[in-house]
Amino acid sequence: MNYISSLDLSEKQISELFSISDSIAKSGTHPFSEPKRVLALLFEKASTRTRVSFESAMSQLGGSSIYIDSSTSQISRGESISDTARVLGMYVDAVAARMYKHSDIVELARNSNVPVINALTDLEHPCQALSDVYTIRKELGGVDGKRIAFVGDIAANTANSLMVIASKMGADISLVGPKGYRPNGKFVEAARKRSSVDISSSMKDGLKGCDVVYADTFVSMGQEAGASERMKLFCAYQLNESSVKYAKKGVRVMHCLPAHRGVEITSDLLDGARSIVWKQAANKLLLEKAILLYLLQKK
Ligand code: CP
């Protein structure tokens, strides 16, 4: 089994992953039944949290990891994704890949005989979404019936995965972004099978009644060329002391990080009492352990 897309998981599987996470959090340790498992981290893009948390997760579970900067691998000299997948599977027990094109990770998984985990592509960030929804469950006492606003680039990979995982657990979604800017229809359609998804260009309307407001960068990796245009388009969608007043009084603030302080979110919110951003970051380690245990024990 692979974990390539938020669409891959059923509500039951998400609950199972959350239970494994609870159990690891409670016991503090939960090693692999077969130690010495090895994870390859094949990364085309920069990372701090995802890389380090996966490496720590493997180490703490009794396994190890090998970081492969794809620019120093033979992929950079033209070796195909499919040949790379075939060979990596001879040496390691799983591959976590961060790639620009989602189609490349699909190709990697198609040719791999070991589980492949999506550590972010241009279309999805499914490990992040699991960790985020787990954080909401823990910090707000549940997900069912909660209203979550994703603000800014509502067509981004983080928004796609978050709306699917959160809706599968019963949350209602509000996507708040510039007029004429549309989210990805495939993910909206999937989320609407279980919950409501509202789309608004108004911060006032979009944040109304929300239990959680979620900010993300206005310029994702790979979009740097259009950065100044995007800043103009998204600048009205900053989360700050004024804009969060539109949400519920006890609203919690989230951001998957890295944050651009003073751009998509202000420092006072990020570091303030309503922020669960740092718990969200910490939970990545826990959920990645759960994903690794789930995929490697079931292989
Ligand atoms: N949130 C997240 O994926 O962070 P990194 O890019 O640092 O891995």
Side-chain angles (χ1 to χ4, degrees):
M1 184 183 169
N2 302 305
Y3 184 39
I4 301 297
S5 169
S6 56
L7 303 164
D8 295 342
L9 292 182
S10 64
E11 182 185 339
K12 186 166 170 277
Q13 287 172 311
I14 298 168
S15 298
E16 210 175 322
L17 283 160
F18 287 177
S19 295
I20 299 170
S21 304
D22 286 339
S23 158
I24 301 167
K26 204 171 162 191
S27 68
T29 175
H30 201 310
F32 288 128
S33 52
E34 287 176 52
K36 303 202 189 313
R37 299 286 205 174
V38 181
L39 174 74
L41 289 149
L42 177 64
F43 276 40
E44 290 181 346
K45 301 184 185 189
S47 171
T48 298
R49 278 146 289 274
T50 310
R51 173 187 174 175
V52 177
S53 52
F54 263 116
E55 290 199 29
S56 279
M58 284 304 291
S59 170
Q60 291 173 18
L61 290 170
S64 62
S65 55
I66 302 166
Y67 181 75
I68 309 163
D69 172 347
S70 80
S71 69
T72 63
S73 79
Q74 295 290 7
I75 292 176
S76 69
R77 297 181 59 251
E79 186 168 21
S80 69
I81 299 281
S82 56
D83 288 352
T84 304
R86 285 175 69 176
V87 171
L88 286 179
M90 298 168 189
Y91 309 139
V92 302
D93 300 286
V95 180
R98 172 166 285 200
M99 310 191 94
Y100 281 98
K101 287 162 61 186
H102 191 78
S103 55
D104 281 347
I105 202 166
V106 171
E107 175 76 357
L108 189 76
R110 192 181 296 130
N111 290 282
S112 175
N113 66 345
V114 297
V116 174
I117 301 165
N118 182 348
L120 182 142
T121 63
D122 56 355
L123 193 66
E124 285 222 46
H125 200 356
C127 296
Q128 181 71 47
L130 268 182
S131 167
D132 294 345
V133 177
Y134 180 83
T135 304
I136 293 168
R137 170 182 174 267
K138 200 157 178 208
E139 298 303 318
L140 282 83
V143 182
D144 196 23
K146 297 288 187 290
R147 187 165 176 80
I148 303 168
F150 187 96
V151 181
D153 186 356
I154 57 177
N157 44 15
T158 311
N160 292 340
S161 300
L162 180 71
M163 80 172 97
V164 172
I165 300 286
S167 66
K168 282 184 182 183
M169 300 312 282
D172 291 316
I173 310 295
S174 175
L175 301 173
V176 191
K179 214 179 181 85
Y181 196 76
R182 307 303 297 171
N184 185 307
K186 184 170 90 167
F187 294 92
V188 171
E189 193 184 324
R192 280 185 176 151
K193 284 190 178 141
R194 173 74 161 84
S195 301
S196 71
V197 179
D198 298 318
I199 303 162
S200 175
S201 58
S202 155
M203 287 288 264
K204 188 176 177 187
D205 295 343
L207 267 55
K208 193 175 172 193
C210 286
D211 302 282
V212 173
V213 289
Y214 193 120
D216 191 7
T217 180
F218 293 153
V219 185
S220 292
M221 285 181 278
Q223 296 174 332
E224 290 78 6
S228 61
E229 277 309 302
R230 294 179 72 84
M231 287 299 178
K232 278 185 229 153
L233 192 64
F234 290 111
C235 65
Y237 295 90
Q238 184 189 69
L239 286 185
N240 53 44
E241 282 296 343
S242 301
S243 59
V244 292
K245 289 200 175 101
Y246 297 132
K248 275 188 180 170
K249 203 158 179 261
V251 68
R252 299 306 184 97
V253 175
M254 299 184 78
H255 191 307
C256 64
L257 302 174
H260 304 86
R261 291 171 179 260
V263 182
E264 72 271 6
I265 190 166
T266 52
S267 280
D268 49 359
L269 271 194
L270 198 60
D271 300 324
R274 284 169 291 199
S275 172
I276 53 172
V277 171
W278 307 103
K279 288 177 174 155
Q280 185 185 354
N283 283 333
K284 281 176 76 86
L285 176 62
L286 193 57
L287 269 292
E288 283 158 13
K289 282 183 187 173
I291 292 164
L292 289 164
L293 285 164
Y294 190 83
L295 294 182
L296 286 169
Q297 316 280 38
K298 288 202 169 192
K299 191 169 69 141

